[in-house]
Amino acid sequence: MRDRILAYAYLIRLDKPIGTLLLLWPTLWALWLASSGFPDWHLLIIFILGTFLMRSAGCAMNDYADQDFDRHVLRTKDRPITSGKITGKEALAVAATLALIAYLLIQPLNALTQELSFFALAVGIIYPFTKRFFAIPQAVLGIAFGFGIPMAYAAVLGFIPMEAWILFVGNIFWAIAYDTAYAMVDRDDDLRLGLRTSAITFGRFDVLAIALSYGMLFLSQIWVAQLANLNNYFWVGWSFAIACAVYHLKLVASRKREDCFKAFRHNNWLGGFLFLGILLGLT
């Protein structure tokens, strides 16, 4: 029983919270901006729990979709499905159960928020399979990881203003930046397996593409700050986030696996500093 519980825990990445955090930061940006300050406690709790549940469901779905590839990659060959600890059907059941709980969680929210959740679920299901045919699946990941933004605005305001969509597009570029760094870790394995990733698509321009993606993120944050009338304290968090991006670019420029993975994980700080900027800008 202990081994089974551990296998399920590894399936939903309880040991690797970085994915949850990268999904949570954009949601928190949106909640604070839409609320013009601290959001209602019930909304904050619902969105934090929903973020964890949907990221966990996404991991289970991803492992189901990639099980035939994961066994050929050193970093993923010991995942619960590929190692035989649980079956693919069990992973699907876990994903469905977690998604259902997340849907039940948002029942107190308005109809628009609930309708958006179906789009978010659809993108989350589609994303793992885009690595087979789409040149930049990281963009689809950005859509999946950013859907908390329009949902947060819808939950708070009952509609989705322009600033939400600007924030959403900026988040797509952020995901392209950090997940390209992540894809650089497995580039050789992905090439051998015939998979598509942004690291492969960008080729020798990978570092430049990451830099440009960061640039789009930071420009979108400035635009949103102007629309939301954030004060000058916003620039404190924004500047620290810029420093993080420069550090990441130095890491990925080496193209070493450990450096690229370190850059990916450090994006948690970048997202946190952007949240700090929004928090200070609203004071």
Side-chain angles (χ1 to χ4, degrees), residues 11-213:
L11 177 71
I12 62 173
R13 310 290 196 277
L14 283 183
D15 60 319
K16 296 177 180 177
I18 180 63
T20 300
L21 293 170
L22 293 175
L23 181 58
L24 181 61
W25 286 125
T27 305
L28 295 182
W29 304 341
L31 277 175
W32 255 259
L33 286 166
S35 304
S36 297
F38 201 99
D40 289 340
W41 274 106
H42 81 283
L43 284 179
L44 183 60
I45 292 170
I46 286 173
F47 274 91
I48 289 175
L49 290 177
T51 295
F52 169 75
L53 290 168
M54 289 308 297
R55 189 263 176 162
S56 299
C59 289
M61 188 66 204
N62 184 80
D63 282 10
Y64 171 79
D66 286 353
Q67 57 183 302
D68 291 333
F69 300 110
D70 284 347
R71 62 173 51 96
H72 301 293
V73 179
L74 180 64
R75 185 179 58 82
T76 60
K77 65 182 179 64
D78 292 324
R79 283 180 175 174
I81 300 178
T82 56
S83 61
K85 294 183 176 68
I86 63 174
T87 66
K89 289 183 179 180
E90 287 178 296
L92 282 179
V94 168
T97 300
L98 293 173
L100 176 60
I101 295 172
Y103 180 68
L104 294 175
L105 192 66
I106 65 169
Q107 290 311 293
L109 305 183
N110 58 43
L112 177 58
T113 309
Q114 294 181 32
E115 290 168 4
L116 287 170
S117 72
F118 287 104
F119 289 100
L121 177 62
V123 176
I125 293 173
I126 292 169
Y127 162 67
F129 298 97
T130 59
K131 289 175 278 187
R132 292 159 170 80
F133 62 87
F134 188 51
I136 308 178
Q138 282 68 24
V140 183
L141 177 71
I143 295 172
F145 269 38
F147 237 96
I149 294 173
M151 288 180 66
Y153 274 91
V156 174
L157 302 176
F159 67 97
I160 307 171
M162 176 62 70
E163 72 178 53
W165 294 117
I166 296 169
L167 202 66
F168 180 67
V169 171
N171 184 74
I172 294 174
F173 280 101
W174 185 33
I176 292 173
Y178 65 66
D179 209 54
T180 297
Y182 192 31
M184 289 168 71
V185 176
D186 295 331
R187 178 156 43 194
D188 292 341
D189 291 320
D190 290 337
L191 279 168
R192 177 168 49 83
L193 295 170
L195 295 175
R196 304 285 187 90
T197 71
S198 56
I200 293 171
T201 299
F202 295 142
R204 62 191 180 94
F205 299 108
D206 47 7
V207 177
L208 176 61
I210 292 173
L212 292 174
S213 296

Side-chain angles (χ1 to χ4, degrees), residues 207 245-255 259:
V207 177
V246 172
Y247 172 59
H248 301 163
L249 290 171
K250 289 183 177 180
L251 286 172
V252 298
S254 73
R255 294 185 173 83
D259 287 343

